Amino acid sequence: MNKYQLPQDSKLRSPEFVFGVATSSYQIEGGVMEGGRTPSIWDTFCKKPGAVDNGDSGDVACDHYHLWKQDIEMIQGLGVDAYRLSIAWPRILPRDGEVNPEGLAFYEQIIDECHARGLKVFVTLYHWDLPQYLEDKGGWLNRETAYKFAEYADVVSRHFGNKVDVYTTLNEPFVSAFLGYRWGEHAPGIKGEKEGFLASHHLMLGHGLAMPVLRKNAPKSKHGVVFNASPGYALTPADQGAADYADAENYQWFIDPVLKGEYPQLVLDKRADVVPMILEGDLDIISAPVDYIGINYYSRNLVHFDEQGDVKKVIPEGAECTYIGWEIYPQGLRDLMIRLNERYDNLPPIYITENGAAGNDEITQNKVNDEQRVRYFQSHLEALDEALKAGVRIDGYFAWSLMDNFEWAFGYCQRFGIVHVDYNTQQRTLKQSAIAYRNMLIERAEEHNNG
């Protein structure tokens, strides 16, 4: 398939619909000791024996810190409308209260280059790389970190203002709270049920505190927050309660306080032993109006109750999975969009801010035939089209990821990119999925230009 096929009557063909690619700072930048940057929790975590596969780290990653200009040229060549990136907090505030002009200048040149090439810029303020000096004071277990986040948001948005088209406060608070502070699989590697839920509340409080700051400093930009969501499905009719709880803890715990001003009762009841102290006024802060929400979708949660009554995920026999064992289930994207539309009366426009698949991608004769990923994107774009036709407002779609990169605790063994990276030479090679994406977008642009 040399391009993705969009239905003739699809809103995905509209020039107003935003197509983009996405990355994050620690996953691609490298240059961890350059430009005035100080360590993040990921620099520290990567040094722990056994924490990351192969002992990998983001020290060099894709060397985007030095290769940013050619990377943006490559992005423009894909024909996308927008680039979603994240800013490294420790590049901007290397020490508590100290602003680093060199860090701001690094991102300013990227933003300016994107705009010069006709690309919209979506900036995420927090994609998990908390400054280590804040972790030393308790990190997201310390309520003060929420206020420090608002200060950081103020520094960034005062500097860039409306130059950033779309601001995102947090990327996937579920992951930073639960994988980082509940299960210990991500930085900072803390394990504890109470800790995970406490971190989640402080993250959401940080989001809420930052929203009015962002609006004041960048009144013409859009402002919102990004959640990962895997819709729950019952293995048998008797397991519907498991599916309902999976949804409640997986994403409603994070979205409900923003859009409903409350935490889901299912979780409050089931996990009363670990629910954090929620101070009066906290939910009013967290539920500040947002212009959009981003949804990162990869797969579904097919679940059942085990013998202890706990919710367990299963992969159905015979299901097609990606290289890392995630079930490919495009219908879940359509179902998720419809469920969100039904649950929230005030649902703002949605961007699909991440969607993609990991492969065991190899170069053969200067080509990467990632046939499974090509089918993955095609089927998920079709599912997105179905959601649009069902009446859900979705304003954009971002492929994850622009290029292979540091995949957190899995190091470099997982390749999510539509562009292959040779980590020895930093050579970038467009995979078949990138070529199909580019060809689709070129065709869409030609349709629009031809009237």
Side-chain angles (χ1 to χ4, degrees):
M1 187 186 296
N2 75 341
K3 71 173 187 298
Y4 302 117
Q5 309 288 339
L6 299 180
Q8 285 300 323
D9 59 344
S10 175
K11 290 183 181 177
L12 297 173
R13 289 183 176 272
S14 163
E16 279 74 50
F17 189 90
V18 175
F19 277 102
V21 287
T23 65
S24 89
S25 49
Y26 191 72
Q27 291 182 272
I28 67 166
E29 281 180 7
V32 295
M33 304 292 285
E34 298 182 61
R37 180 187 179 278
T38 54
S40 76
I41 55 175
W42 273 95
D43 296 284
T44 305
F45 188 69
C46 289
K47 291 182 171 68
K48 287 185 180 177
V52 177
D53 284 3
N54 304 315
D56 291 339
S57 77
D59 287 358
V60 178
C62 307
D63 199 25
H64 180 72
Y65 187 74
H66 299 108
L67 303 177
W68 62 269
K69 196 160 189 175
Q70 75 171 53
D71 287 340
I72 294 167
E73 184 179 359
M74 178 174 70
I75 293 168
Q76 182 195 23
L78 291 172
V80 296
D81 308 301
Y83 174 40
R84 176 178 177 247
L85 66 142
S86 78
I87 287 177
W89 190 343
R91 277 202 197 283
I92 306 303
L93 295 168
R95 281 160 285 277
D96 200 358
E98 179 187 317
V99 178
N100 176 26
E102 207 175 339
L104 289 166
F106 171 68
Y107 293 107
E108 188 145 31
Q109 62 191 355
I110 289 174
I111 293 165
D112 288 348
E113 185 72 16
C114 284
H115 284 155
R117 293 178 177 274
L119 296 164
K120 290 188 173 75
V121 179
F122 285 55
V123 163
T124 302
L125 293 174
Y126 187 65
H127 201 128
W128 314 347
D129 41 2
L130 185 72
Q132 182 60 41
Y133 63 79
L134 288 177
E135 184 57 39
D136 292 342
K137 295 179 179 178
W140 290 110
L141 301 180
N142 182 350
R143 186 179 171 92
E144 187 187 3
T145 300
Y147 292 86
K148 293 295 182 184
F149 177 72
E151 291 173 15
Y152 159 59
D154 185 43
V155 169
V156 172
S157 56
R158 258 191 297 121
H159 184 83
F160 295 119
N162 299 317
K163 189 182 268 196
V164 170
D165 298 279
V166 178
Y167 285 90
T168 295
T169 51
L170 311 174
N171 177 76
E172 299 185 355
F174 170 96
V175 175
S176 30
F178 287 176
L179 271 69
Y181 292 87
R182 183 181 177 188
W183 301 317
E185 297 168 15
H186 277 196
I190 290 169
K191 292 182 183 178
E193 292 295 303
K194 283 186 176 178
E195 288 81 355
F197 282 94
L198 181 62
S200 73
H201 180 61
H202 290 158
L203 277 153
M204 298 319 300
L205 182 64
H207 155 77
L209 291 166
M211 285 304 292
V213 172
L214 294 171
R215 288 202 187 284
K216 176 169 71 72
N217 293 338
K220 294 180 182 173
S221 305
K222 289 182 182 174
H223 306 284
V225 56
V226 166
F227 307 99
N228 57 301
S230 300
Y233 295 82
L235 182 62
T236 71
D239 296 309
Q240 187 56 49
D244 292 342
Y245 186 78
D247 280 350
E249 192 181 279
N250 173 265
Y251 61 89
Q252 291 164 5
W253 178 257
F254 297 90
I255 303 180
D256 280 13
V258 175
L259 297 185
K260 299 179 84 168
E262 62 189 30
Y263 282 108
Q265 200 61 44
L266 266 180
V267 183
L268 294 175
D269 291 345
K270 186 177 175 70
R271 303 311 314 270
D273 56 329
V274 296
V275 168
M277 182 184 292
I278 299 163
L279 301 187
E280 190 174 347
D282 280 3
L283 287 163
D284 292 332
I285 292 169
I286 296 170
S287 60
V290 291
D291 300 320
Y292 75 93
I293 61 167
I295 295 293
N296 297 349
Y297 174 82
Y298 291 93
S299 188
R300 66 166 173 171
N301 277 332
L302 181 63
V303 294
H304 68 106
F305 288 118
D306 67 9
E307 290 173 0
Q308 284 73 44
D310 293 327
V311 177
K312 294 294 179 192
K313 181 176 177 176
V314 295
I315 303 291
E317 198 173 329
E320 184 181 6
C321 294
T322 66
Y323 171 63
I324 57 173
W326 293 4
E327 182 189 3
I328 298 176
Y329 196 75
Q331 182 188 331
L333 178 56
R334 178 192 71 104
D335 293 349
L336 174 63
M337 294 297 102
I338 292 169
R339 288 186 197 183
L340 293 172
N341 210 31
E342 290 172 348
R343 182 174 179 83
Y344 303 105
D345 297 333
N346 59 336
L347 184 69
I350 293 172
Y351 289 106
I352 304 302
T353 33
E354 290 180 24
N355 180 232
N360 184 21
D361 305 323
E362 295 179 359
I363 292 185
T364 308
Q365 297 176 326
N366 295 321
K367 291 183 180 177
V368 183
N369 182 23
D370 55 339
E371 179 266 339
Q372 185 186 62
R373 187 179 291 106
V374 170
R375 288 188 289 105
Y376 182 98
F377 282 129
Q378 176 66 41
S379 61
H380 285 75
L381 288 170
E382 289 169 1
L384 200 58
D385 180 61
E386 290 172 12
L388 283 160
K389 286 174 177 166
V392 186
R393 180 169 170 191
I394 305 159
D395 284 0
Y397 174 92
F398 289 76
W400 183 271
S401 172
L402 166 66
M403 54 188 165
D404 299 333
N405 55 44
F406 176 76
E407 196 48 50
W408 308 112
F410 295 104
Y412 294 99
C413 67
Q414 297 187 355
R415 292 182 177 269
F416 271 92
I418 61 173
V419 174
H420 182 277
V421 176
D422 181 325
Y423 296 113
N424 294 318
T425 64
Q426 294 298 343
Q427 176 72 34
R428 277 79 158 131
T429 304
L430 267 59
K431 302 178 187 179
Q432 192 57 41
S433 54
I435 294 166
Y437 202 42
R438 180 192 67 194
N439 292 350
M440 174 193 79
L441 294 173
I442 288 171
E443 181 186 69
R444 186 184 72 140
E446 287 172 350
E447 276 178 17
H448 176 56
N449 292 335
N450 293 336

